[in-house]
Amino acid sequence: EDEQIVAEIMGRRFFPDHITHRTWEGFHFAGHEIRITEATDCYGAVVWPSALVLCYFLETNSKQCNLVDKNVIEIGAGTGLVSIVASLLGAFVTATDLPELLGNLQHNVLQNTKQKCKHQPCVKELSWGIDLEKNFPRSSCHFDYIMAADVVYCHPFLDELLLTFDHLCKNDTVILWAMKFRLEKENQFVDRFQTLFDLEMISNFPSLDIALYKAMRKGRMKA
């Protein structure tokens, strides 16, 4: 079953028939052909398999995870594929990443959503753990969903990532998080994450070492 679904997920990808001046990959999700411009010199400007896993889940579970008119933020949006698919499925999306990635992110989001979505997504800078209250004030920012694909890897900002999840997540916010396990550090982050959030694995793909999680804030019923 794992191999069959993984083949279906990876089958959503296609490549250009001829060489172009821009490096891009194509994807079929939400009834649209999505073209993503990439840059091979930066981790954040490449589409990773975790993003495809999350997009596939959003498309094939649209009844239990109805995104129409929902307020969604993607952290570490990278090339923007997840944000684009969420937008095509009817969500109002804020796609965020580091300043140096925003140009390519904005290009991809605009190219693939203009005049195709109910709500035009926006692109915004978010450096994890920095100026969170200033840029995303708790009093006025409410997200129904926080989405993240492959944001946990060998980098020194895991404390800031957890702080960012904590800041953006309200009592009724749902986190959808696809993660590829590479090193023990990722397992340690999952343990720390579970001190703040109830975590449920909703899909697991051993052949890819990728798990898809759903999470909500602990103690929310008492709030």
Side-chain angles (χ1 to χ4, degrees):
E1 184 180 359
D2 169 49
E3 292 179 357
Q4 183 178 347
I5 297 176
V6 167
E8 164 66 15
I9 294 171
M10 295 306 164
R12 301 301 187 93
R13 169 187 279 163
F14 68 93
F15 299 93
D17 294 328
H18 55 275
I19 297 174
T20 62
H21 69 286
R22 283 179 179 258
T23 302
W24 64 269
E25 283 187 78
F27 303 89
H28 293 288
F29 285 110
H32 289 267
E33 181 180 289
I34 302 167
R35 295 192 178 195
I36 297 293
T37 300
E38 298 181 313
T40 56
D41 60 346
C42 178
Y43 286 125
V46 176
V47 177
W48 299 100
S50 292
L52 275 68
V53 167
L54 182 48
C55 290
Y56 181 82
F57 172 82
L58 296 177
E59 181 189 79
T60 57
N61 293 271
S62 58
K63 288 187 177 180
Q64 71 179 81
C65 182
N66 185 357
L67 296 184
V68 177
D69 298 330
K70 295 298 193 298
N71 202 11
V72 172
I73 185 168
E74 184 186 4
I75 61 174
T79 60
L81 180 61
V82 172
S83 288
I84 291 164
V85 171
S87 298
L88 293 171
L89 291 171
F92 182 83
V93 177
T94 303
T96 71
D97 216 312
L98 296 170
E100 59 266 29
L101 296 172
L102 295 187
N104 189 56
L105 176 58
Q106 180 71 65
H107 168 79
N108 284 329
V109 167
L110 189 62
Q111 175 178 263
N112 290 286
T113 62
K114 190 174 183 180
Q115 298 181 333
K116 297 177 183 178
C117 296
K118 185 175 184 181
H119 308 288
Q120 186 61 38
C122 68
V123 172
K124 190 171 180 178
E125 176 185 342
L126 173 54
S127 299
W128 298 339
I130 298 175
D131 292 332
L132 294 175
E133 182 59 30
K134 175 184 175 183
N135 296 324
F136 300 90
R138 290 180 186 268
S139 59
S140 58
C141 287
H142 184 283
F143 297 105
D144 299 295
Y145 290 92
I146 299 171
M147 297 188 184
D150 232 359
V151 293
V152 180
Y153 48 90
C154 189
H155 60 67
F157 304 111
L158 295 181
D159 290 342
E160 291 82 357
L161 175 59
L162 188 60
L163 183 66
T164 301
F165 273 125
D166 185 40
H167 180 85
L168 296 174
C169 189
K170 296 288 198 296
N171 285 330
D172 58 347
T173 302
V174 175
I175 298 172
L176 293 174
W177 167 29
M179 173 175 166
K180 182 176 178 67
F181 288 84
R182 300 181 180 88
L183 302 167
E184 181 58 29
K185 207 170 186 180
E186 279 110 37
N187 294 310
Q188 294 172 4
F189 181 83
V190 172
D191 292 339
R192 293 182 56 207
F193 184 88
Q194 289 185 94
T195 64
L196 298 176
F197 302 99
D198 291 321
L199 190 64
E200 174 191 358
M201 183 186 292
I202 53 178
S203 295
N204 186 30
F205 303 100
S207 63
L208 296 174
D209 290 326
I210 291 174
L212 177 61
Y213 295 104
K214 174 183 176 181
M216 295 187 75
R217 182 176 292 282
K218 282 184 178 292
R220 58 193 176 276
M221 298 303 293
K222 299 176 183 178

